[in-house]
Amino acid sequence: MNTQSPPASEVQVVLTECSATDAGHLFAALRRRFECDREDSESPAEAPTAWTATFDTAAVCPPASGEAVPLSGPVTAEVQGSPHAVRELEDALADVFTVHEVGSVSGDQEVEVELRLEPRG
């Protein structure tokens, strides 16, 4: 059994209440900023009700200059990781979406935050 904790720079992102297309657009926007455990060619399948990916916030790319990311409507994202890494990811999301923090739970070394992401426009 692996008891090692994930690196402090990793954030797990779980998307719910959205289409596979919206999940694909959102993950693509995050992959432009951070390394990811998913390849660009991996697009979310239609069947799941939740999509997950892990992003490494230690490998930060510069923000895209006001690049619009299409969403058909609001998306719920649960992000979990160290407080600093979660903040980095939230900041990246805020560069391209309107972000509302719906709730959060803090643990010893990790936080879990529920976000509602809306398209800008």
Side-chain angles (χ1 to χ4, degrees):
M1 179 162 95
N2 184 0
T3 58
Q4 280 188 317
S5 297
S9 59
E10 286 188 359
V11 179
Q12 181 182 29
V13 178
V14 179
L15 303 178
T16 59
E17 299 177 22
C18 70
S19 68
T21 300
D22 284 349
H25 289 310
L26 199 141
F27 283 157
L30 286 172
R31 276 196 306 272
R32 287 191 288 274
R33 292 286 303 271
F34 307 110
E35 287 184 7
C36 181
D37 67 339
R38 309 265 181 217
E39 297 295 324
D40 288 345
S41 60
E42 287 184 66
S43 58
E46 280 296 333
T49 55
W51 295 269
T52 65
T54 301
F55 295 90
D56 186 350
T57 61
V60 178
C61 300
S65 56
E67 186 174 328
V69 177
L71 292 178
S72 62
V75 173
T76 299
E78 292 181 15
V79 296
Q80 181 177 4
S82 73
H84 177 74
V86 167
R87 201 169 324 108
E88 288 282 329
L89 191 106
E90 278 189 76
D91 290 346
L93 289 170
D95 286 343
V96 290
F97 302 105
T98 300
V99 178
H100 303 280
E101 189 171 310
V102 178
S104 66
V105 177
S106 296
D108 265 354
Q109 298 176 16
E110 285 195 342
V111 295
E112 184 175 330
V113 180
E114 183 175 345
L115 304 172
R116 181 174 175 88
L117 309 172
E118 297 175 354
R120 286 202 174 149

